[in-house]
Amino acid sequence: FVTDFSSPSSSLCCQCGVPIPPNPANMCVGCLRAQVDITEGIPKQGTLHFCKQCERYLQPPGTWIQCSLESRELLALCLKKIKASLSKVRLIDAGFIWTEPHSKRLKLKLTVQKEVINGAVLQQVFVVEYIVQSQMCEDCHRIEAKDFWKAVVQVRQKTLHKKTFYYLEQLILKHRLHQNTLRIKEIHDGLDFYYSSKQQAQKMVDFLQCTVPSRSKSSQRLISHDIHSNVYNYKSTFSVEIVPICKDNVVCLSPKLAQSLGNMSQICVCIRVTSTIHLIDPSTLQIAEIDGNTYWRHPFNSLFHPKQLEEFIIMDINRVQGKKKGAGAGARSNKHTLAEAWVQKTSELNTDHQYFCCTHLGHILNPGDLVLGFDLANCNLNDEFANKMNPHNIPDVVLIKKSYDRTKRQRRRNWKLKELERDREGMDTDDERQYQDFLEDLEEDEAIRKNVNIYRSADVPVESDTDDDGPPRISLAEMLEDLHISQDATGGEGANMMT
């Protein structure tokens, strides 16, 4: 209540006769408030809708916003509820009164002013109470319904091995692209990602095209049409096809493509698949990268599938130094060593049959080592480019990787990976072996590990990283600590962790 103190004399209230300082209404504060209520018409109770799943509040008519308790955003949301009623008064102050977080009540303390009788300004404080009601938002409703989707991304790769999908899974987890998916469904040759909007699906397609060599096409199907508002409801489908080449595949390039890559040999080994296909010529160490567009213009296939790998033993090996480059040859690998080796199949140790080959694994192979490779001398190649090659240019054996004791590697592996939560259908019994192959590839290839989040496993004791005689291992410096909270942080193990 604002009074005029320009006159030092006092006057009597016209209602109760109490001496008061002079004011335009000529009334005391009590009588003036009894005559006039400036908060009349302002609701003292309201309702807020809150989604438990995503912890967002509804901002009418259909927007859901993230607000923490007693935040400026929540205060603005509460004031918008009574904005129309506050237009006749002047808002001076607004703030929250503390309530229990689980009480489903929010109390707002408001201070308003209004000009009343004969120009007197009356100030009043009152409380508005909001009841928080639970209501599921549309996004969470689609997630719970699972089949209520508007866009799907179908990722496919026509191969028998899932190494590329295991690598792709880790990239999705690292960049958190799985958070907006309604559902992830795994089938025998790929993954399906379901989304509530076409924009989110398009974002996943753009990520896939930047991550793995692939091509995509889209289509849409009309679900409903409102002729009055001219609104169309579509379901969109994006089909992404990844190149059918995986790590450790032996491929035969077309003569035109091999010439464009620096006159490299047509028989090459795929050493890595990232955003491009990384190839190496095992006879010269010449390397090349093929992107998705180049592959689809000059497609080629793998000559073997992983189940056709055979085990060889190194009888003798000689490292080749300073081999001259051919005319127009491209770059060579600095991480590999060219070597000439005599090998023998472990299944033919009782014979004298040996094979001569050139290999890019001279830096890790020694006489007596076991190595996995493909036998081209005793196989029937069903490939259009390989059948047209000069038989003298086709090697007898192509060595792929050094063989280690898998049981020992699993026992000493002190790290783990996270997996996507997905619906599995038609699982193959060979998936576990393929997953172990992928884990071994991570241990052997440092370039791939940089794109993957590797977590330390608390179940396996930490051993020294200086053991050079065994298989390749991942150092502790490359591992992340996974968060584990076994009990409430107020007691037990949680209290020890907090202290």
Side-chain angles (χ1 to χ4, degrees):
F1 180 57
V2 181
T3 58
D4 185 10
F5 293 98
S6 58
S7 176
S9 61
S10 62
S11 61
L12 300 178
C13 174
C14 64
Q15 293 289 333
C16 62
V18 176
I20 59 171
N23 62 75
N26 202 23
M27 290 186 187
C28 65
V29 176
C31 294
L32 190 58
R33 285 180 177 174
Q35 294 287 330
V36 181
D37 183 13
I38 65 173
T39 64
E40 184 179 3
I42 302 177
K44 305 303 188 294
Q45 287 187 341
T47 303
L48 291 177
H49 296 283
F50 177 71
C51 179
K52 293 181 179 179
Q53 276 74 12
C54 59
E55 298 183 350
R56 294 187 298 175
Y57 291 88
L58 174 62
Q59 179 177 319
T63 306
W64 292 83
I65 59 175
Q66 193 85 28
C67 301
S68 58
L69 290 176
E70 300 188 5
S71 63
R72 296 178 60 184
E73 294 79 8
L74 186 57
L75 179 62
L77 179 61
C78 294
L79 291 176
K80 285 182 180 179
K81 287 280 187 177
I82 56 175
K83 181 179 180 181
S85 303
L86 292 175
S87 60
K88 298 181 180 180
V89 296
R90 181 184 179 187
L91 182 64
I92 300 300
D93 188 25
F96 284 102
I97 300 176
W98 186 86
T99 56
E100 290 286 348
H102 60 274
S103 65
K104 299 296 183 181
R105 297 291 188 275
L106 293 176
K107 291 185 178 181
L108 202 62
K109 182 180 179 182
L110 301 179
T111 304
V112 295
Q113 285 184 356
K114 185 179 180 181
E115 184 176 335
V116 290
I117 304 173
N118 297 329
V121 178
L122 184 64
Q123 179 172 307
Q124 192 168 343
V125 179
F126 65 102
V127 176
V128 180
E129 182 178 359
Y130 292 91
I131 301 175
V132 181
Q133 292 185 352
S134 298
Q135 177 180 331
M136 186 177 292
C137 66
E138 294 181 359
D139 295 336
C140 295
H141 180 74
R142 293 191 181 101
I143 294 175
E144 292 297 324
K146 292 188 177 179
D147 291 331
F148 193 80
W149 53 272
K150 288 188 177 180
V152 59
V153 180
Q154 299 174 341
V155 188
R156 300 290 184 268
Q157 187 182 32
K158 299 177 181 178
T159 62
L160 295 177
H161 206 287
K162 297 182 179 181
K163 283 186 178 180
T164 306
F165 279 106
Y166 291 135
Y167 172 65
L168 190 60
E169 177 185 20
Q170 298 303 317
L171 289 179
I172 293 174
L173 285 169
K174 182 173 183 177
H175 295 280
R176 300 179 181 273
L177 287 178
H178 63 292
Q179 292 184 337
N180 295 325
T181 55
L182 303 180
R183 180 188 181 194
I184 302 176
K185 181 179 179 182
E186 179 178 356
I187 59 177
H188 66 282
D189 60 347
L191 293 170
D192 289 346
F193 298 88
Y194 294 89
Y195 294 91
S196 59
S197 67
K198 184 178 178 181
Q199 291 76 12
Q200 294 174 348
Q202 184 65 53
K203 184 179 179 181
M204 171 61 82
V205 173
D206 295 340
F207 171 77
L208 293 175
Q209 291 181 338
C210 296
T211 304
V212 291
S214 59
R215 62 180 177 181
S216 65
K217 59 181 179 180
S218 61
S219 63
Q220 59 184 11
R221 178 164 57 96
L222 180 64
I223 303 300
S224 62
H225 173 213
D226 188 352
I227 60 175
H228 300 289
S229 60
N230 202 27
V231 174
Y232 293 82
N233 183 18
Y234 290 101
K235 278 192 174 182
S236 303
T237 301
F238 296 88
S239 178
V240 180
E241 183 182 0
I242 304 175
V243 296
I245 304 297
C246 295
K247 185 180 183 299
D248 297 337
N249 283 165
V250 177
V251 299
C252 182
L253 308 178
S254 64
K256 184 177 180 180
L257 180 59
Q259 183 180 6
S260 66
L261 296 176
N263 290 329
M264 67 188 306
S265 174
Q266 289 183 245
I267 303 295
C268 298
V269 178
C270 176
I271 56 175
R272 191 180 302 116
V273 177
T274 55
S275 58
T276 58
I277 304 173
H278 299 254
L279 299 178
I280 188 170
D281 182 358
S283 60
T284 61
L285 295 188
Q286 187 173 335
I287 55 176
E289 296 183 11
I290 300 177
D291 58 8
N293 295 330
T294 304
Y295 175 84
W296 298 118
R297 288 198 303 267
H298 306 281
F300 52 87
N301 298 316
S302 175
L303 299 180
F304 301 91
H305 55 80
K307 292 183 179 180
Q308 293 177 300
L309 277 171
E310 298 187 64
E311 192 176 55
F312 296 85
I313 185 171
I314 303 295
M315 308 304 295
D316 189 19
I317 186 168
N318 295 314
R319 289 158 180 82
V320 179
Q321 301 291 340
K323 186 174 183 178
K324 294 183 179 179
K325 288 186 177 182
R332 290 185 178 180
S333 173
N334 297 325
K335 298 181 179 180
H336 299 83
T337 302
L338 183 63
E340 297 176 345
W342 286 93
V343 298
Q344 187 176 13
K345 290 184 181 180
T346 55
S347 59
E348 298 177 353
L349 290 179
N350 55 348
T351 64
D352 295 333
H353 193 189
Q354 296 185 5
Y355 302 90
F356 176 78
C357 64
C358 292
T359 179
H360 60 290
L361 303 176
H363 58 294
I364 59 174
L365 295 181
N366 295 295
D369 288 344
L370 296 178
V371 62
L372 298 177
F374 294 108
D375 182 7
L376 280 72
N378 301 315
C379 70
N380 184 15
L381 294 177
N382 187 16
D383 185 83
E384 58 173 330
F385 302 129
N387 294 335
K388 297 178 182 179
M389 287 183 62
N390 187 343
H392 298 287
N393 296 332
I394 300 179
D396 294 338
V397 172
V398 176
L399 302 181
I400 300 299
K401 60 181 179 179
K402 188 175 180 180
S403 178
Y404 300 97
D405 185 2
R406 169 165 289 183
T407 304
K408 184 179 179 180
R409 295 185 74 166
Q410 294 182 12
R411 188 173 61 250
R412 298 178 58 185
R413 187 171 291 141
N414 59 345
W415 55 274
K416 61 183 179 180
L417 301 176
K418 291 186 176 181
E419 297 183 6
L420 288 174
E421 294 183 3
R422 54 188 183 270
D423 300 334
R424 301 176 183 267
E425 293 185 6
M427 290 297 293
D428 191 357
T429 56
D430 196 42
D431 286 353
E432 180 60 29
R433 184 188 66 83
Q434 296 181 15
Y435 187 68
Q436 293 298 325
D437 289 343
F438 172 70
L439 297 182
E440 293 174 3
D441 292 340
L442 287 180
E443 294 175 336
E444 298 169 5
D445 195 340
E446 184 180 357
I448 292 294
R449 292 201 300 268
K450 294 180 179 178
N451 301 326
V452 176
N453 284 342
I454 299 174
Y455 297 90
R456 178 180 169 184
S457 177
D459 301 333
V460 181
V462 179
E463 298 182 9
S464 175
D465 296 334
T466 59
D467 185 9
D468 298 332
D469 297 333
R473 302 179 62 190
I474 299 179
S475 63
L476 292 175
E478 300 178 75
M479 300 181 192
L480 301 175
E481 288 288 348
D482 197 7
L483 179 62
H484 292 285
I485 301 179
S486 57
Q487 295 186 13
D488 190 0
T490 58
E493 297 181 5
N496 297 332
M497 180 187 68
M498 296 298 290
T499 55

